[in-house]
Amino acid sequence: MCNAIDLSDIISIIALICSVTTFILNLRVSKMNRAADLEAVYFKEIFMNYLIKEIPINSKYIRFDNGKLSDFNKLVGTLDKMKSESAYFGYIRKDFYKELKKLCEDLEDYLINTSNHKVESIMQADIYNEINAKIIGIYKIISENYRRFSG
């Protein structure tokens, strides 16, 4: 009987500690990946229809009638519905949701404020360009965050 610890015993203990540590780290990474995968699924589920159908279709209704911006209510309704359906991210990804909500509200306010006064025909193209730029900003933040969630 030997009371001394052999070098092989020390190596075995170190190997066991490394194995347990690796196992725990793998569990954590796996859990994080599952959470990210779930968020990507929610992301796709919530935003796909809006990006592909709802926003493009409803933004086409916007027009000028006697110099006043009109028929934008469908787009405003779509943006409101999208904000409501994506409220989940207000708890999970607060910065993303806050920015998305701000961009949607900026577009809504712009549409409403612009409709409150008559716009000369020479300026109407600029209004359409600004609306487009604001919509692109919404698409951009959604796309950037989807890539982040989906890995």
Side-chain angles (χ1 to χ4, degrees), residues 90-105:
Y91 299 100
I92 304 301
R93 303 287 182 168
K94 291 179 184 178
D95 291 341
F96 160 70
Y97 181 70
K98 186 177 176 182
E99 181 67 18
L100 175 65
K101 190 175 170 187
K102 180 187 179 309
L103 290 171
C104 289
E105 289 170 353

Side-chain angles (χ1 to χ4, degrees), residues 28 65 74 85 100 105 111-112 124-125 133 143 145 151:
R28 286 184 180 175
D65 185 20
K74 287 184 179 186
E85 288 182 10
L100 175 65
E105 289 170 353
L111 293 168
I112 292 165
Q124 291 175 5
S143 295
N145 280 279

